[in-house]
Amino acid sequence: MSPVTRAEAADLPDDSTPRTPERLRRRTSRLLSQLTLRSDRLINDGLARVDARKWHYAVLASLLEYGPASQAALSRRTGIHRPDMVGVINELVARDLVERTPDPDDQRRNLITLSPRGRRRLRRLDALLDDLHDELLAPLAPAERDQLVELLTRLLDHHSRTP
């Protein structure tokens, strides 16, 4: 795991007394932000150890679940910006994890398809991410993990609908 940043160190107790004021420690938005930092580091470092990135996983998972798609459709499905999607697809094609072929319905665009090697890679990444999530959520019981996912999903769904 990466070294602790100065901002994160401000929350660590040095004499068993938290340095961060209690009113900050109890703010949901701050807690979510701090956990996001730690989660991103854990996931990014774990994926980097196997020469992968979150964007690779997102594209492979989308292709497995929804089937072949244009780069624009993949961008919408995954939230990866279109200009960035081109680079991600190029990386995945170079690794033989996806195939890029002309769309038979529209020769101006390409269809991206998950390759057999991409399916195997996705299974390995799923197992790795399961282990990383177990590490992230270690203090929670299985029922609490399910409840956390349910609550976070509800919040995200609500705020995704809000203009």
Side-chain angles (χ1 to χ4, degrees):
M1 213 144 125
S2 301
V4 175
T5 66
R6 265 189 262 156
E8 292 168 332
D11 282 339
L12 297 177
D14 57 356
D15 62 358
S16 75
T17 304
R19 295 182 197 168
T20 304
E22 185 64 22
R23 67 176 7 121
L24 287 178
R25 292 176 51 80
R26 306 235 4 113
R27 290 285 174 194
T28 304
S29 57
R30 185 170 188 283
L31 291 169
L32 288 170
S33 176
Q34 293 294 306
L35 187 58
T36 296
L37 289 172
R38 287 162 174 80
S39 173
D40 281 349
R41 184 176 338 110
L42 177 71
I43 299 303
N44 289 333
D45 289 353
L47 288 171
R49 286 193 299 269
V50 296
D51 194 27
R53 297 187 305 149
K54 288 189 294 187
W55 289 1
H56 295 164
Y57 181 79
V59 170
L60 297 175
S62 178
L63 290 171
L64 180 67
E65 187 165 336
Y66 297 110
S70 68
Q71 291 178 185
L74 284 169
S75 178
R76 287 188 300 274
R77 288 180 192 168
T78 61
I80 300 170
H81 295 253
R82 283 187 187 193
D84 295 329
M85 181 60 74
V86 173
V88 172
I89 297 301
N90 287 343
E91 290 173 8
L92 295 173
V93 167
R95 296 170 185 211
D96 194 31
L97 301 176
V98 301
E99 298 167 358
R100 181 176 20 214
T101 57
D103 185 336
D105 297 327
D106 184 350
Q107 294 296 313
R108 295 171 295 169
R109 69 178 179 193
N110 291 310
L111 272 183
I112 310 304
T113 306
L114 188 61
S115 71
R117 185 174 179 170
R119 285 178 187 275
R120 291 189 300 275
R121 177 71 163 166
L122 181 59
R123 282 193 300 272
R124 288 192 298 273
L125 292 177
D126 277 333
L128 172 65
L129 287 170
D130 287 347
D131 291 346
L132 292 170
H133 284 120
D134 283 346
E135 184 178 337
L136 178 69
L137 302 173
L140 302 179
E144 291 172 316
R145 293 174 185 200
D146 292 342
Q147 184 180 22
L148 177 64
V149 169
E150 182 182 321
L151 293 170
L152 291 172
T153 300
R154 190 179 337 153
L155 284 168
L156 186 59
D157 288 349
H158 170 80
H159 290 286
S160 296
R161 288 188 299 266
T162 305

